Amino acid sequence: MAITYLEAIREAQAKLLADDPRVFIYGQDVGNFGGAFKATKGLAKEFPGRVLDSPISEDAQVGLAIGAAIEGMRPIIEMQFADFSTCGLNQIINHAATMFWRTNTKCPITVRLPCGGTAGGGPFHSQSMEALYAHYPGLIVLNPATVEDAYSMLIAAVHIDDPVVFCEHKYLYYHLKADALPTEALPIGKARVARPGRDATIVTYSAMLHEALACAEELAKDGWQIEVVDLRSVKPLDTDTILGSVARTGRLLVVGEAFPWGGVTAEVVARVATEGFSLLDAPPMRLNAKDTPVPYHPNLWGTHRPTARAIIGAMRELLHA
Amino acid sequence: MLQTSDVTSVKPQTDGRRERYLAAFRWMLLARVFEEKLASLYRGGKVIGGVFLSKGQEALSAALGVALRKGDIYAPLIRDSAGRFAFGESLLDAARTCIGSRLGPMRGREGNIHRGKPREGYYAMISHLGVMVSTVSGGLVARRFKGVRDVVGATCIGDGGTSTGSFHEGLNMAAVEKLPLVVVVANNQYAYSTPTSQQFACADLVDRAIGYGVRGHKIDGTDPQACFDVVGEAVARARAGEGPQMVVADLLRLVGHGEHDDAHYVNHALKVSPIGRDCLEVARAQITAAAWMNAMQIDSLRDQLQAEVESAFATALREPLPDPNLEDWRALSTEALAEGRA
């Protein structure tokens, strides 16, 4: 029986609710309706009183979670779209993220962000917010790229004693399937070599992992062996695994779906350049979305974000550099 | 559900009433003495960062502090020394935070009014106004999940804070969830330098209560007895399950926004109007008129509190300051997930 990335998120929440009375879900339309994407389908009925519809008030949703977490609960906040989390940004970065450091009080909230682009999503339903949140001290930022990670990392996120921003990619919701839910997982904070290789490294995460893997598959036809590293967590960032891969290949391309200024790809390149410069046989490269809002029409969107084709182009350049 | 209370005069004198009044008065007086000392230390260069005083707002602040019980949730704001002490904050911890002692609850990481002990129901405000409304509500939701009854959560804000989106979102949400929340609004006529005419256009902030579906209460914030009665009633109604309560008190900030501010912009007509009264002077008059204490007894109490304040600051000033070499420079509680690239 195949299970999708979205179903894995639903199943993780069902398990969390079943296993831990401290867990509850608060978000817009998450109750009887089951969420805009159905990530909480049936949970309100299965767990009465623990899956609550909120007003359209992202700031208050996060504020409520913070208060509940202070009192020992493990709230999960669903933002309907990652883009709308900016309306709750202040509570996340200034309140939740500073709580432990200021007051020595743990703030174990999990904020689920349905992120990333889909055809027709447009500028306000497509954004990748991980770099924004990773910038602030006091937050953990997770970007699962597989069905297995969507499940196990969400469970791990809720068990973490700190605020977690959980970036789940909408494009993967239905596209990605696995045979079964995982029974074991890599720890949070560890990157994974998704495909071994020796000629060059692609470091990426979330939906771009699958574009990168398609690129590696294509280039393998020409005899190139491309290593693909899935970051899984952008904060903390597993620099050791990245440097280990670059040590094997000598060439680095970092791919992200977010906007190009700063961000995760820049951070990875900066760390490799400062800590592993001598490992590089060529200047490291980055590939990001374009520096415009995310366009609505697929003809534009398909060029705005990196795709396997764009990654192949960049990789050919890197291999011959 | 939406009528407003209007209690502005002192009337019957039951024993409980006298005790409540004098208990609250003690916290008012302690706050005033504490803050005068703080201002003096600030002028002497002993305080790093800002100093924000509550002169003129002590009665309102104390009213909430004494109406809450151990086990309740309290998120005070900028001008709530009296309420903080009444809720149980130690004088020493307050002094430590203002001085920056390493031994205080904030350990030099935060200062002045940004202090609290969240696990004890005493939430630490952040500077972004309005956020504590939903946060206290979240604490109350947690209590509801745990089946804890008979609990109240309260937070304070000023006229300026009511203009934030956070305030609106939080109060609306609390009303939807019918939480036992009390929001006390000190309308002290100025948000820093901005007069209420540039802050809101409604005739009175308490009129907003009906829009949120919560009970509104209006008081003269310079009248201590009115503050104790009305805030007490609001807390009791919340505790009884009547849902969120919004108390709006009119008063005047009798100091600058902070000690760095000479408040030259305050309209003189307000200073000489009834809301320009000093609630502590009103309290003295109410107490002596009721013959609960005489002037000498009040002065003696003040001397006693002054000694406590001097002792607390003397201790805090002798304590070690924060040391960058002893800091762990870690924002996460989960050490294994901290990046540690200090």
Side-chain angles (χ1 to χ4, degrees), chain A residues 70-71 162 237 271 275, chain B residues 119 123 146 334 339 341:
Chain A
I70 288 170
E71 303 293 325
D162 290 291
L237 187 61
R271 290 196 188 189
E275 295 174 44
Chain B
R119 290 295 289 163
Y123 290 6
K146 293 175 183 179
T334 313
E339 291 224 314
R341 298 175 166 269

Side-chain angles (χ1 to χ4, degrees), chain A residues 285-303:
Chain A
M285 288 179 68
R286 300 164 64 208
L287 191 59
N288 298 288
K290 293 190 186 302
D291 191 25
T292 70
V294 184
Y296 145 77
H297 198 279
N299 288 359
L300 300 178
W301 174 65
T303 297

Side-chain angles (χ1 to χ4, degrees), chain B residues 184-240:
Chain B
V184 174
V185 181
N187 178 2
N188 68 11
Q189 314 303 317
Y190 290 88
Y192 206 145
S193 74
T194 304
T196 52
S197 59
Q198 287 298 109
Q199 199 65 244
F200 54 85
C202 55
D204 194 308
L205 284 176
V206 78
D207 295 340
R208 291 191 182 172
I210 192 169
Y212 289 110
V214 306
R215 182 184 287 266
H217 306 258
K218 185 67 197 295
I219 17 174
D220 172 357
T222 68
D223 179 344
Q225 185 68 67
C227 289
F228 306 151
D229 288 346
V230 174
V231 174
E233 181 198 332
V235 170
R237 285 184 182 277
R239 203 180 298 284

Side-chain angles (χ1 to χ4, degrees), chain A residues 54-73:
Chain A
S54 73
I56 302 178
S57 298
E58 287 81 5
D59 181 292
Q61 285 173 244
V62 181
L64 181 143
I66 292 168
I70 288 170
E71 303 293 325
M73 301 295 286

Side-chain angles (χ1 to χ4, degrees), chain B residues 236-260:
Chain B
R237 285 184 182 277
R239 203 180 298 284
E242 294 185 23
Q245 312 284 314
M246 176 172 160
V247 180
V248 176
D250 286 339
L251 37 71
L252 184 65
R253 194 186 73 207
L254 300 180
V255 284
H257 170 63
E259 279 302 272
H260 57 278

